[in-house]
Every structure is written in structure tokens, then in C-alpha cells.
Amino acid sequence: MISGSIPFEIGQLSRLQRLDISSNNMVGEIPREVSRLSYLFYLNMSNNHLSGTIPAEFGNLASLQFLDLSSNNLSGTIPAQIENCLKLSMVMLSRNNQTGVIPFQLGNLNLHDVLDLSDNLFTGEIPTQLSKLTELQKLNLSHNELVGGIPSSFQLMRSLTSIDLSYNFLDGPIPQNNIFQKAPIEWFIHNKGLCGEVHGLPPCAPSSWGSRDKKIMHRLKVIICVIIPTASLLFLLFLIAAIILPYCKRKKHTATETAEAVNGGIFIIWNFNGKEAYKEIIEATENFDDKYRIGVGGYGTVYVATVSSGETFAVKKIQKIEDQASEQAFRNEIQALTQIRHRNIVRLYGFCSTNQFNFLAYEYMERGSLGAILRLLSYDSSHWSMLAGTHGYMAPELAYIMRVTEGCDVYSFGVVALEVMHGIHPGDLINGLSSSILVKDILDPRLPFYIDDQVAVNQVLAVILGAMKCIDTNPQSRPTMQQVIQSLSSPKLPTITSSLSFHALTIGHLMDIQTS
């Protein structure tokens, strides 16, 4: 009589091999985190009130042998990824509300015992690929809305001891092998027009199989006469487009590049005087003297530079190394930031590449607040390629509603903020967050601030506290982005008392200070 939903924390039971919660009152969706149980070989959630779809991530359960989700309220289609569960011997999904066609990928499994898809809303024809299940003993597709005929290749399924195709809309002859011809009529009743050597079914007309073969040959002729000429024409058009489009893009790109000047300054996106820009940067920063440095991140160092025209930029210098991946990351960052226009995102004014360094020149954020520097240091291609709907940055509820909301964006921002503070993606850190974790263990040791600098400490704590609120598992408890920006712009954490040193400060202490 267990009720409630299945907690997503179940995915943390990394050594679990057998999970049986059948015959209870469980509700809600099956958490995708179940797919993390790489040792799981037995999974039984039958006879509950579970809803939603079967997670596509079930394809990651490489050790799974027994799967029973029958007698629930599951909907949607069977995920094709289930074909990756090559050890499956038994699949029972009966008495649900699943729709769509039966995926042909089921025929790629090594099922030996049972495949039961009965009492659902499956449509379309029975996939012929199921005949590859030559070791299968029991097949039940009854009480669905299947149409067409029983594939003749089913006569190769010589291990079958029972097959139930009743209560569908099937027609045509019964396959000619022993198990079918000796089958009881109950396996085929309430269909559209099955025939064959089964007691209770009408005999087939002599030309039934021949007529069927003629239909197949006719379809093949149609495919040959229509598809092949169409494909040839499409290939020809593609070839012409491949020759013409690059030329048109070059002309359009040149026109766009020339028009992307910024207030008559020295920077023009994609097309500016690189030698002059390099000279101006060197002079404005006195060859990158430390007194112009405003931040250091995992991908580069940020300096403030005021050029001769009076314009002030934040310049990120990236040490150039013989690494194709790093060079591609530099190019990706340029491409991403030139396409983004948003009031909360610093704007990229230009770039410069030399034999020793790559430079990116951004809009300079006044007051040099830690939040602004964090945003600048985190603008790398690795972050812009992974937003909210992306694995590792996805809010937990997004996996269920499949729709990006403001709450999902806030969660993703929190992950990015923790990633900047931590130095690497905080995946393991998020999974194991607790009030007893020390704040210092969250910080990247490269982060440049001093414990006796109370302003810097407050800014760091404000970022961590804001990030913690952003990744709250309850979307309703997360702040809005406006609230996050306000907290980063003017952090108001009280001074840590001498009785509690920074090195002993835990997440729980930080939350208590905030609420006191």
C-alpha cells in the first residue's frame, strides 16, 4: 500500500541490482534517474498508477534482463532506445495506454521468455522484424488497434508456445507453421478477416498469398518508378546549391562585416584593423600590467583597457597553445557572442589573434563587480553550447514537463555560477550537496580574493548563496533572474564573526546567516 511518487534520488543507488515496487499505489512519472542504475537486472513497477512515458534513458540499462511495467497508466510510445538493452529476456508492458506503432527495434533484442504488449492502443502493422525473435516463447499483442496481416516470416519463430493476436483489425492468412496451425481460435478472434487452417477460421482463398505477393511487387515498382527519379532530382539540386550558396554567403558576409562598426571605434566584428587594435591594447594595458587586471578565470585573464578614442573595454587575453580544441573553442566563443543580443549579456566588440595570444574585447561593466567579472569569465564556448534542455544544466522538472520555463533558466544559471566558482562543472557537487559541506570546498582555488577582504568575501558568498537558491529542486522556491542580479549587484551578507572562521563556514551556516 505504498503511495506517492518514486523519488529521483533512487538513481543514487549505484550498486542496486533488483528493484521491485509492484502492486502498490505509486503515482507520478518514472524518474529518468533510474537509468543510472547500471547494475540493475530486475525491474518490476507493475500494478501501480504510474503515468507519463517510458524514459528513453532506459536504453542505458545495459544489465537489464527483466522489465515489467504492466498495469499502470503509462502513455506515449515505446522508446526505440530500448534496443540497447541486449540482455533483456522478458518485457511486459500490458494494460497501459501506450500509443503509436510497435517499434521494429524490439526485434533486435534477445528476448527468450515473454513479450507482452497487450491491452494498449498500438496502431499500424505488426513489424516483420519481430520474427527475428526466434527464441521467444510467448508473444501477446492482443487488445490493440493493429491492422494489416500477420507477417509470413513469423513461421520462423519455432520456439513460440503461445501467441495472442485477438481483438485487433488484422486480416489475411495465418502463417504456415505448426504452432499457428494447431493454435486455438481464441488467439485470433475479433479481427477483421483472418483466414487459414485453424479450427474456427474460414479457409483462405487459393490466391491469398499470391495476391499479397502481387501487392508487394506493385509497391516495389511504384517505389522504383517514383522514388529513384525524385532522389536523383534532389541530388542534382543539392549539387547546384552546394556550388552557388558559398559564393552568395561570402558576398552577404562581407556586406554584414563592413557594417558592424561600433561607434566609429577601432573594433569591427570579424573585420577590423588587427594591427592597430593590438597596438592600442598593448599601450592601454602597459603590456598587460597586473594593475589593469580585473579577473582571472579558467579560460583567460581579463584586463580593463581605455584606448586613445576614450572608449573603455574589458579585454580577455587567452594564452595561445598548439591545441586544435582550444582554437576551436576560441572561434566558437566569437561566433556565439556575435549572435547574442541581450541586455544582461556583455557585448563582444571585436577580437584579435597573434602568434602568442588571442584577445576578445567586450563591453566594460562599470564598478567591476564580482558578478560582472563572473559573467565575463564564464562566456566560453563550453557554456554557450550547454544551456537549459542540455544535460548537466537541466532543471530536474524539465525532464518531466519537457518545456523550458523561467524557473528552468534560473536553475541553469545557478549551475553555471557554481561552475565558475568551482572551476569545473559541479555535477558531483550538486548531487551530494548538504548543509555540512564547507564553503571553501566549493571554491576554485584559483579564485583571486583574500579572506581579510570582507567586501570580496561577501561578494563570493553572495554568488554561492544565490547559486544555491537557483538550483533549489522546487521551482517555486527559486528566485527570479531580477532578484539574482540585485543580490549580485549589492550583496548584503553580515560580517562573519570571529568565532566562526571562513575556513569552518558550511553551507548550513551560510543559510543561517542569510536568514538571521
Side-chain angles (χ1 to χ4, degrees):
M1 300 301 292
I2 299 175
S3 60
S5 58
I6 303 172
F8 66 86
E9 289 88 353
I10 201 167
Q12 299 177 19
L13 303 176
S14 58
R15 308 286 296 183
L16 187 64
Q17 299 183 40
R18 184 183 179 98
L19 175 59
D20 189 345
I21 55 173
S22 60
S23 300
N24 281 290
N25 293 320
M26 306 296 288
V27 297
E29 300 187 354
I30 301 173
R32 298 174 185 273
E33 287 75 9
V34 172
S35 63
R36 299 177 184 172
L37 305 176
S38 57
Y39 288 90
L40 192 69
F41 72 88
Y42 183 98
L43 177 58
N44 190 346
M45 297 181 174
S46 64
N47 197 23
N48 279 285
H49 306 287
L50 299 174
S51 58
T53 60
I54 300 175
E57 290 81 357
F58 267 32
N60 298 331
L61 296 172
S63 301
L64 193 63
Q65 300 176 31
F66 180 96
L67 175 63
D68 190 351
L69 304 177
S70 60
S71 299
N72 278 290
N73 298 317
L74 298 175
S75 58
T77 59
I78 300 176
Q81 291 85 345
I82 201 171
E83 69 174 334
N84 297 324
C85 303
L86 295 179
K87 292 186 178 180
L88 268 176
S89 178
M90 180 179 297
V91 174
M92 291 184 287
L93 306 176
S94 61
R95 295 184 297 280
N96 278 289
N97 297 313
Q98 295 193 287
T99 57
V101 298
I102 297 174
F104 69 86
Q105 289 87 350
L106 289 175
N108 297 329
L109 296 172
N110 295 315
L111 297 177
H112 295 291
D113 300 321
V114 178
L115 174 59
D116 190 348
L117 308 180
S118 61
D119 288 278
N120 278 286
L121 300 171
F122 290 115
T123 57
E125 297 186 355
I126 300 174
T128 58
Q129 288 83 352
L130 293 185
S131 63
K132 295 194 294 183
L133 302 175
T134 54
E135 304 296 322
L136 187 67
Q137 298 183 43
K138 296 182 179 181
L139 175 63
N140 193 343
L141 305 178
S142 65
H143 293 84
N144 280 288
E145 299 176 4
L146 301 174
V147 298
I150 304 172
S152 58
S153 56
F154 270 30
Q155 59 189 333
L156 302 176
M157 302 174 71
R158 302 190 182 278
S159 295
L160 282 176
T161 58
S162 71
I163 176 170
D164 193 345
L165 303 175
S166 61
Y167 292 89
N168 279 287
F169 300 97
L170 302 174
D171 58 11
I174 300 294
Q176 298 178 351
N177 77 343
N178 197 42
I179 180 64
F180 283 96
Q181 294 177 352
K182 294 184 177 180
I185 184 61
E186 287 76 17
W187 291 0
F188 308 107
I189 60 173
H190 291 279
N191 273 287
K192 183 179 179 181
L194 291 176
C195 61
E197 299 179 14
V198 174
H199 180 72
L201 286 181
C204 295
S207 60
S208 291
W209 284 106
S211 174
R212 197 167 175 182
D213 291 340
K214 288 181 181 179
K215 290 180 180 179
I216 294 174
M217 290 301 298
H218 177 71
R219 291 176 183 174
L220 288 175
K221 289 180 180 178
V222 171
I223 292 174
I224 293 173
C225 295
V226 176
I227 302 299
I228 293 180
T230 303
S232 301
L233 179 60
L234 289 175
F235 175 76
L236 181 61
L237 292 174
F238 175 79
L239 189 62
I240 295 173
I243 296 173
I244 295 176
L245 282 179
Y247 174 75
C248 296
K249 284 185 177 180
R250 281 197 295 270
K251 291 187 66 178
K252 181 178 179 181
H253 202 55
T254 302
T256 303
E257 292 169 352
T258 307
E260 280 280 350
V262 181
N263 298 325
I266 62 169
F267 292 107
I268 302 176
I269 298 299
W270 299 115
N271 186 19
F272 66 95
N273 191 327
K275 291 183 178 180
E276 181 182 350
Y278 177 75
K279 180 181 177 181
E280 290 266 13
I281 291 172
I282 294 297
E283 291 179 356
T285 60
E286 299 180 27
N287 198 20
F288 298 105
D289 192 280
D290 283 348
K291 65 183 178 181
Y292 296 97
R293 188 176 70 181
I294 58 175
V296 179
Y299 291 87
T301 307
V302 182
Y303 300 84
V304 60
T306 302
V307 296
S308 58
S309 64
E311 298 171 281
T312 300
F313 302 96
V315 178
K316 181 158 72 172
K317 182 183 76 170
I318 305 173
Q319 186 76 30
K320 204 165 188 179
I321 56 177
E322 296 300 325
D323 184 346
Q324 185 176 359
S326 298
E327 184 64 23
Q328 186 60 42
F330 173 68
R331 295 177 180 273
N332 289 346
E333 181 168 0
I334 295 171
Q335 182 177 1
L337 288 175
T338 53
Q339 295 172 353
I340 294 174
R341 294 292 185 268
H342 194 280
R343 65 179 181 274
N344 291 331
I345 298 178
V346 291
R347 185 177 183 184
L348 176 68
Y349 282 155
F351 70 94
C352 182
S353 181
T354 71
N355 292 332
Q356 293 180 303
F357 305 106
N358 286 328
F359 302 98
L360 293 165
Y362 299 88
E363 170 190 5
Y364 176 67
M365 306 291 284
E366 290 296 335
R367 298 194 305 274
S369 68
L370 177 63
I373 295 173
L374 282 173
R375 287 195 293 271
L376 186 58
L377 290 175
S378 66
Y379 288 157
D380 295 280
S381 61
S382 62
H383 296 147
W384 290 114
S385 64
M386 297 184 292
L387 302 174
T390 302
H391 182 67
Y393 297 80
M394 182 188 295
E397 73 276 7
L398 180 56
Y400 302 110
I401 64 175
M402 297 305 291
R403 179 170 57 87
V404 177
T405 65
E406 183 178 355
C408 298
D409 292 338
V410 172
Y411 182 93
S412 301
F413 175 85
V415 177
V416 171
L418 279 181
E419 180 173 9
V420 175
M421 302 304 288
H422 194 49
I424 58 175
H425 188 277
D428 294 335
L429 183 67
I430 293 177
N431 292 335
L433 273 179
S434 68
S435 60
S436 61
I437 290 181
L438 294 175
V439 171
K440 70 179 184 66
D441 292 338
I442 296 178
L443 298 179
D444 185 342
R446 299 171 296 181
L447 201 61
F449 75 99
Y450 301 94
I451 301 303
D452 56 354
D453 184 349
Q454 189 59 46
V455 175
V457 170
N458 275 6
Q459 289 179 330
V460 168
L461 296 182
V463 173
I464 295 177
L465 184 60
M468 296 294 294
K469 292 180 179 179
C470 289
I471 63 171
D472 195 301
T473 54
N474 182 4
Q476 306 301 323
S477 300
R478 295 173 199 155
T480 64
M481 281 310 301
Q482 183 178 6
Q483 292 170 331
V484 173
I485 293 171
Q486 289 174 349
S487 65
L488 288 177
S489 300
S490 55
K492 297 179 180 179
L493 286 173
T495 303
I496 301 173
T497 61
S498 57
S499 63
L500 183 63
S501 68
F502 180 84
H503 291 286
L505 185 67
T506 66
I507 292 295
H509 292 143
L510 184 59
M511 302 297 287
D512 291 340
I513 293 173
Q514 170 68 13
T515 56
S516 63

